[in-house]
Amino acid sequence: MTSSPCKPAPKPPLRIGIAGLGTVGAGVVKLLRENAALIRARAGRELVVTAVSARDRTRDRGVDLSNVAWCDTPEELATHPDVDVVAELIGGAEGPARLTVTRALENRRPVVTANKALIAIHGAELACTAQAAGVPLMFEAAVAGGIPAIKTVREGLAADRILKIGGILNGTCNYILTVMHETGRDFAEILADAQKLGYAEADPSTDVDGVDTAHKLAILAGLAFGRPVVFASVYIEGIRRIGALDLQFARRMGYRIKLLGIARQHENGIEARVHPCLVPQDAPIAEVNGVFNAVVAEGAFAGRLMLEGRGAGEGPTATAVCADLIDIARGSAMPVWGCAADSLVQAVALPSRSFTGEYYLRLNVEDRPGVIADITAVLRDNGVSLRSMLQHADAHDIRPDGTHAVPLVLLTHKTSEAAMQHALHHIAELSAVLDEPALIRIEAA
């Protein structure tokens, strides 16, 4: 008689406690239930939500929570007897989010989070806590929503030396710039529309001032270079000063304007910056429009790759959270930053004045003889070489005092940020320059 092979005992369900039941939290509950059979097959066990914490128990979130335990505070999930892993979906770098994650790790509970601010600012510290406890801290959903950016950089490119990483990392800014490009309307008007459509928050500062992009860039740079970047050292500039006229000039010169996060590793440190860029209109990243994100990485061996997709929203972000939960269920987890936490050294980003590149400079100047000669003399004296110049005659403006103003655009050859800023300071002091100059970097992308 032949004996049948022994089947391994089925694994018990992975019991999940969710802190925060906003759009993403409710989406995770919905996804785990609707795709339960598929997830069980891929995880090798069931994934079930057993406990939750949210400020308002009475709010209708579109999912049945009647058989789920409620915790009065999210920190209680860290020690709840029916919770194996905590999903932190509250947001914010401090307060309940940080306390919940820290306590869960200290109590040897794996953590999954979508909290980019928390990881960008406290990621090195939390990595040490996770390593000491011997449990994973995972954050695929913290960068670019449903785009598998973290897995690609930390695992797919683990054998390569990454030279550059970044991309379009904020859907709100990309939507605003796309509509400005397509319609010729101004920033404030498009922002108001984006708020009505739900693409921008009531207080859009974190998005439009570049902070959200910087959080994500700091995480990507830390993964790419194995050295978490001190967030406060990242150069950040948003899109509030981009005018419809800049979009028109960019189109005429064969460019699109995008808010990019860019990180490179140099011998003397890490370059990490967020600001609007002119990119060639035939570059792949120039065609990433609307609320879409794109993560671009360049490896010494792998070359250039670009991942594009929806960077936020219930479905994409919940998918990324659940991907991390499946990894934990299978017992598959990477070190937080791709290497041992105790070998990490936090890196300070290089100062912005050390950057080099080409520049777009738009000036509103008085229409009189000698103005261009004065401006080019300042640039010459600061070692800035001009590549081209463009005037928009149709935009001629007569000010209330009778002054005739015209917009003037100058493109430079490669120069240093320090030289450009010094020249800009002196140009702004010229009597013929009527408004604050607009400066945008040009990126090959």
Side-chain angles (χ1 to χ4, degrees):
M1 179 183 295
T2 58
S3 60
S4 60
C6 294
K7 291 184 178 180
K11 291 183 177 180
L14 182 72
R15 301 171 300 174
I16 303 161
I18 297 181
L21 285 172
T23 300
V24 176
V28 169
V29 176
K30 188 184 303 181
L31 180 58
L32 288 172
R33 291 176 177 173
E34 291 187 8
N35 287 357
L38 180 150
I39 290 170
R40 182 173 60 251
R42 292 178 177 173
R45 60 199 291 197
E46 284 189 280
L47 275 64
V48 295
V49 177
T50 54
V52 296
S53 178
R55 283 179 293 186
D56 183 1
R57 295 193 184 198
T58 64
R59 177 181 157 199
D60 181 7
R61 296 172 171 84
V63 291
D64 182 9
L65 298 168
S66 58
N67 294 321
V68 174
W70 278 83
C71 293
D72 292 329
T73 65
E75 305 95 82
E76 292 177 36
L77 294 170
T79 55
H80 196 287
D82 294 327
V83 169
D84 300 315
V85 56
V86 174
E88 183 276 302
L89 305 173
I90 305 168
E94 307 298 339
R98 184 181 181 187
L99 184 58
T100 299
V101 170
T102 302
R103 285 192 177 173
L105 295 174
E106 289 173 345
N107 283 277
R108 302 184 185 281
R109 302 284 173 91
V111 171
V112 171
T113 180
N115 193 335
K116 58 258 184 184
L118 180 69
I119 299 301
I121 296 172
H122 300 298
E125 170 195 333
L126 293 172
C128 292
T129 305
Q131 181 174 292
V135 294
L137 167 61
M138 306 187 74
F139 48 92
E140 183 63 61
V143 177
I147 301 174
I150 304 300
K151 286 183 181 292
T152 299
V153 176
R154 187 171 55 192
E155 300 169 39
L157 297 174
D160 204 356
R161 181 168 58 89
I162 298 177
L163 308 174
K164 177 183 175 184
I165 195 158
I168 296 172
L169 305 176
N170 183 272
T172 298
C173 289
N174 203 40
Y175 171 82
I176 291 171
L177 292 173
T178 297
V179 178
M180 288 178 69
H181 174 83
E182 292 173 348
T183 66
R185 294 155 64 201
D186 274 316
F187 168 82
E189 188 179 352
I190 304 302
L191 173 59
D193 287 349
Q195 289 170 317
K196 292 175 186 175
L197 292 168
Y199 294 151
E201 301 288 345
D203 179 2
S205 301
T206 300
D207 291 320
V208 301
D209 293 333
V211 177
D212 178 79
T213 296
H215 285 147
K216 297 168 185 175
L217 180 69
I219 294 170
L220 289 174
L223 292 167
F225 309 131
R227 300 173 64 195
V229 176
V230 175
F231 181 73
S233 68
V234 178
Y235 176 81
I236 308 173
E237 183 182 320
I239 64 169
R240 291 184 191 268
R241 293 178 58 197
I242 302 298
L245 196 57
D246 296 312
L247 278 294
Q248 293 176 31
F249 274 118
R251 187 198 302 269
R252 287 177 61 182
M253 296 182 294
Y255 290 100
R256 293 287 301 271
I257 297 179
K258 297 291 184 182
L259 181 74
L260 298 183
I262 300 165
R264 294 184 179 92
Q265 186 161 10
H266 300 274
E267 289 185 4
N268 57 337
I270 292 174
E271 171 187 344
R273 50 192 171 100
V274 171
H275 51 70
C277 293
L278 267 71
V279 297
Q281 62 187 7
D282 58 354
I285 204 165
E287 299 175 8
V288 178
N289 292 315
V291 296
F292 280 71
N293 284 193
V295 176
V296 181
E298 291 182 13
F301 280 73
R304 186 179 186 276
L305 60 91
M306 186 174 89
L307 306 173
E308 178 185 354
R310 293 188 178 276
E314 176 185 312
T317 310
T319 300
V321 170
C322 290
D324 280 345
L325 291 169
I326 289 170
D327 275 350
I328 290 172
R330 290 188 303 209
S332 171
M334 291 284 291
V336 176
W337 297 103
C339 56
D342 53 14
S343 69
L344 296 173
V345 177
Q346 278 196 288
V348 176
L350 295 172
S352 61
R353 293 179 68 82
S354 68
F355 303 159
T356 60
E358 299 179 350
Y359 293 83
Y360 159 103
L361 175 61
R362 176 177 56 80
L363 307 168
N364 280 331
V365 300
E366 186 178 354
D367 187 12
R368 59 175 173 78
V371 172
I372 292 176
D374 291 342
I375 293 168
T376 55
V378 172
L379 293 171
R380 178 202 63 211
D381 292 345
N382 285 277
V384 179
S385 175
L386 280 183
R387 175 156 61 92
S388 62
M389 181 174 64
L390 188 64
Q391 214 171 335
H392 197 326
D394 296 338
H396 196 283
D397 176 37
I398 301 178
R399 301 291 174 97
D401 64 357
T403 301
H404 288 242
V406 292
L408 177 68
V409 165
L410 308 171
L411 298 185
T412 77
H413 286 292
K414 190 172 182 178
T415 188
S416 72
E417 178 86 11
M420 196 67 220
Q421 290 295 341
H422 197 259
L424 195 63
H425 173 74
H426 289 289
I427 287 172
E429 291 180 333
L430 295 174
S431 61
V433 176
L434 303 176
D435 302 311
E436 186 178 1
L439 186 71
I440 305 176
R441 288 87 180 163
I442 301 173
E443 189 72 22

